[in-house]
Amino acid sequence: MTDWWGVAAAVGGGLLLTWCALVITLWLQQRRMGRSIDWREAVRLVPDTIRLLRALVGDRTLPRSVRWSLVGLLGYLLLPLDLIPDVIPVLGVADDVIVAALVLRFVLRRTGVAPLRRHWPGTAAGLSSLLALTGLAGPRDDRVPKE
């Protein structure tokens, strides 16, 4: 029975650390743009991202390779085993954020930004922060392939 508590604690801790990394990314992006951060938006970023991933996985209009890469990302984020353990400060969370950014970058290159906009449950600023994390899009979406 204690094994399940350990797994639950590891998953919860991983999600909390991932949320912290996304909040820091949001804060840095807002600071670069000369704006203050909306903390309600920061709190919603991880749940909105998880809902986005679930919606994209269920979208039959997306290529199968995109949907499978998103399933792999969800599995990687939920598993307690990582390339770099989450207990290592900064680096433990960084690998989760890097893997998520690479998979979302792959999705953007294959599908364009329209499916992410269509399924994004949060605010426009939250989506902008998520897109900035991929390095392909942000305030300007002209670098992202169009559908």
Side-chain angles (χ1 to χ4, degrees):
M1 191 61 123
T2 58
D3 292 335
W4 286 106
W5 284 108
V7 170
V11 169
L15 287 174
L16 177 66
L17 291 173
T18 302
W19 176 79
C20 289
L22 287 172
V23 166
I24 290 169
T25 301
L26 176 64
W27 178 72
L28 290 173
Q29 179 196 13
Q30 296 297 324
R31 192 169 167 192
R32 269 187 287 159
M33 298 169 99
R35 295 188 293 183
S36 63
I37 189 167
D38 179 2
W39 289 105
R40 286 175 292 172
E41 177 184 318
V43 169
R44 290 186 53 189
L45 194 58
V46 167
D48 286 346
T49 302
I50 291 170
R51 281 193 293 273
L52 171 70
L53 294 177
R54 279 187 37 210
L56 289 172
V57 166
D59 187 348
R60 299 277 184 196
T61 64
L62 297 179
R64 192 174 297 167
S65 61
V66 167
R67 294 193 325 254
W68 278 110
S69 66
L70 292 167
V71 168
L73 172 62
L74 285 170
Y76 179 79
L77 292 175
L78 293 177
L79 285 175
L81 302 174
D82 284 338
L83 294 174
I84 302 172
D86 287 337
V87 296
I88 298 173
V90 180
L91 294 177
V93 177
D95 75 315
D96 290 344
V97 173
I98 290 169
V99 169
L102 289 175
V103 171
L104 287 173
R105 187 179 176 104
F106 169 77
V107 169
L108 279 169
R109 286 184 178 207
R110 293 288 307 242
T111 66
V113 76
L116 273 75
R117 286 193 191 287
R118 184 171 61 242
H119 293 294
W120 180 250
T123 64
L127 179 60
S128 179
S129 297
L130 185 69
L131 293 175
L133 184 64
T134 67
L136 280 178
R140 293 181 15 234
D141 288 336
D142 57 347
R143 293 176 292 171
V144 178
K146 302 293 182 202
E147 289 188 8

